[in-house]
Amino acid sequence: MNDTLIPAAIACIQDLFRGNSGGHDAAHSLRVYRNALRILEEEPGCDTEIVALAALLHDADDHKLFRTKGNANARSFLTAQQVAPEKIERICEAINAVSFSRNRGKRPQTLEGRIVQDADRLDALGAIGIARTFAYGGEHGRSPDESVAHFHEKLLLLKDELNTEAARRLAEPRHAFLERFLEEYEKESGE
Ligand code: NI
């Protein structure tokens, strides 16, 4: 892999997400990247560069944050870095497999897409997932109770929708932590 590509992608997302505090920020993309690398260790036979770049850039054109079409931000970065057009297509395909709402019940067709989707979902679980849910909820005018509803509508379902064995294992303690948090939240709410 061209070793200036990853630092350049990190700089690119830091730039794109400047000023964002609602759970989709550069720190999220970096965690997704690290999750993807951990899953990759157990999934030989896929293209590391595609997984790494798709993980870093997976929210670069997120419709909640940007008005771009056709992965324009990701494409303009990758084109400027002289990534081969065929590879850019495969990276964008993996990115487009990630979205939860647009891909409900659909399994990404490529292994690269399945890994990045799992890596993103892991970041919606555990202590990080809880913190992100309230940050996003607060930014969109939701009360804590309304944010908690999101745990039931989405986050608690994730562990059964993961694609890879490695992600299922990494998800276990994070899922258990969510359940413990909800138990305590409901107990204190009823006191
Ligand atoms: Ni994401």
Side-chain angles (χ1 to χ4, degrees), residues 22 26 39 46-47 50 53 61 69 92-94 96 101 103 123 128 130 134-135 145 150-151 157 172 181 189:
I39 299 170
C46 72
D47 190 315
I50 289 176
L53 289 169
D61 294 280
K69 288 215 162 67
C92 290
E93 193 189 341
N96 296 336
S101 52
N103 293 291
D123 206 51
I128 295 278
I130 294 170
F134 289 112
D145 279 354
H150 181 71
F151 287 86
L157 312 176
E172 253 171 55
F181 172 80
S189 298

Side-chain angles (χ1 to χ4, degrees), residues 25-169:
D25 54 4
H28 162 64
S29 296
L30 282 171
R31 286 190 304 268
V32 171
Y33 166 64
R34 289 195 299 268
N35 288 341
L37 295 185
R38 290 164 78 189
I39 299 170
L40 260 178
E41 285 171 20
E42 296 176 43
E43 295 287 346
C46 72
D47 190 315
T48 309
E49 191 169 58
I50 289 176
V51 171
L53 289 169
L56 283 169
L57 297 169
H58 81 279
D59 273 342
D61 294 280
D62 187 288
H63 65 98
K64 295 190 280 305
L65 302 173
F66 305 105
R67 288 171 187 279
T68 50
K69 288 215 162 67
N71 307 94
N73 285 336
R75 279 178 198 281
S76 86
F77 166 77
L78 295 165
T79 306
Q81 295 293 318
Q82 295 171 337
V83 175
E86 178 265 347
K87 199 156 222 180
I88 295 180
E89 291 317 310
R90 292 179 61 195
I91 293 166
C92 290
E93 193 189 341
I95 290 174
N96 296 336
V98 173
S99 161
F100 181 84
S101 52
R102 277 184 275 170
N103 293 291
R104 206 61 224 282
K106 271 192 265 163
R107 196 174 151 89
Q109 290 187 343
T110 63
L111 179 56
E112 287 83 5
R114 293 197 284 274
I115 291 174
V116 181
Q117 186 184 63
D118 279 359
D120 187 48
R121 289 175 170 184
L122 282 173
D123 206 51
L125 297 174
I128 295 278
I130 294 170
R132 291 180 62 219
T133 301
F134 289 112
Y136 184 83
E139 209 180 33
H140 291 80
R142 288 187 201 142
S143 69
D145 279 354
E146 286 167 331
S147 284
V148 161
H150 181 71
F151 287 86
H152 295 281
E153 287 155 15
K154 173 178 168 182
L155 305 188
L156 289 174
L157 312 176
L158 288 178
K159 92 170 164 46
D160 295 323
E161 299 187 6
L162 295 168
N163 306 297
T164 62
E165 205 39 59
R168 276 192 282 277
R169 203 185 55 250

